[in-house]
Structures are given as C-alpha cells and as structure tokens.
Amino acid sequence: MNHDWMDQDAGPVVRPYAMTQGRVAPSGGDFDLVAFVVATVPDLASGVQLQPEHHAIVAAAWEPISVVELASHLDLSIGVIRVLLGDLRSAGLISLYEPPAATQPHDVDVLKAVVNGLRAL
C-alpha cells in the first residue's frame, strides 16, 4: 500500500507540532542548549502517559548528554526536544544541569580584552 504521507526513504513523516501537541515552549521555563540531561528513573511505567519520543529521550539520557547532542542523536528539532524535555522535567523523569558559564554573567573586562585583541590583528 502506498500513502502520500509516507516517504520510501525516510519512513512516516510526523510534523513537529504533532509531537508537541502544538506547544512551542517547554513547561517550567527554558534551558541552555549545552545543558546536560540525565534520566532519573530506571522504569517509565510510573503511570505517566508518554510518547515514543519521551521514551527515546530517557533511554538516550542514561549517560549525561547535552540538549543539542540529544536532538542530533534522535534526529529531532531543538524546538521539539525542548518541549519534550520540559514534559519529562515536570514529571521528574530527568534532571538538567547547566554549565556554570551559562548561568553567570559575562565579565566585561574579558570581553573588552577579546575585542582589543581582535582589533590588534
């Protein structure tokens, strides 16, 4: 059987908004692309309704993995990954660890030194 929505090379095509149910922002706030994701529970049969993509994220996050690496590994867009990670974080199934540099303000003196160094080139 041949369907219009099926690509022979790529398999079934699902639009990103279908995976996120139309949501474009993660619940509980945004997080950095280089934040590390770590799964917190060994079994997802905790009564929470999860999509296959949620299961794939938890399976991939048994070892710490950055948000951007996770998106690449699962071949999903960053926007979709962020929304799904927000779901998992709200359910307590993952933890996110942001690198210290991402949470601290930039040092103006260091930025000025970089600009001056570039100008000297």
Side-chain angles (χ1 to χ4, degrees), residues 70-95:
L70 193 57
S72 175
H73 179 71
L74 298 177
D75 197 24
L76 294 172
S77 72
I78 291 292
V80 169
I81 287 291
R82 283 181 165 169
V83 171
L84 297 177
L85 286 174
D87 296 343
L88 292 170
R89 179 175 54 185
S90 295
L93 300 174
I94 62 164
S95 292

Side-chain angles (χ1 to χ4, degrees), residues 4 14 18 29 35-36 53 98 107 120:
D4 291 338
V14 177
F36 284 99
E53 293 81 14
E98 292 195 25
D107 186 357

Side-chain angles (χ1 to χ4, degrees), residues 44-73:
L44 293 183
S46 61
V48 179
Q49 293 289 355
L50 298 175
Q51 298 168 260
E53 293 81 14
H54 287 113
H55 289 278
I57 289 171
V58 172
W62 279 115
E63 300 262 332
I65 186 170
S66 70
V67 173
V68 73
E69 286 176 304
L70 193 57
S72 175
H73 179 71

Side-chain angles (χ1 to χ4, degrees), residues 107-120:
D107 186 357
V108 176
D109 293 330
V110 171
L111 294 175
K112 286 181 182 178
V114 170
V115 169
N116 290 335
L118 290 173
R119 286 185 182 152

Side-chain angles (χ1 to χ4, degrees), residues 6-67:
M6 185 128 194
D7 180 6
Q8 294 302 329
D9 295 329
V13 178
V14 177
R15 297 284 181 211
Y17 60 81
M19 282 186 254
T20 63
Q21 295 143 5
R23 298 170 295 149
V24 295
S27 60
D30 212 1
F31 38 83
D32 201 322
L33 293 177
V34 295
F36 284 99
V37 180
V38 180
T40 59
V41 295
D43 186 14
L44 293 183
S46 61
V48 179
Q49 293 289 355
L50 298 175
Q51 298 168 260
E53 293 81 14
H54 287 113
H55 289 278
I57 289 171
V58 172
W62 279 115
E63 300 262 332
I65 186 170
S66 70
V67 173

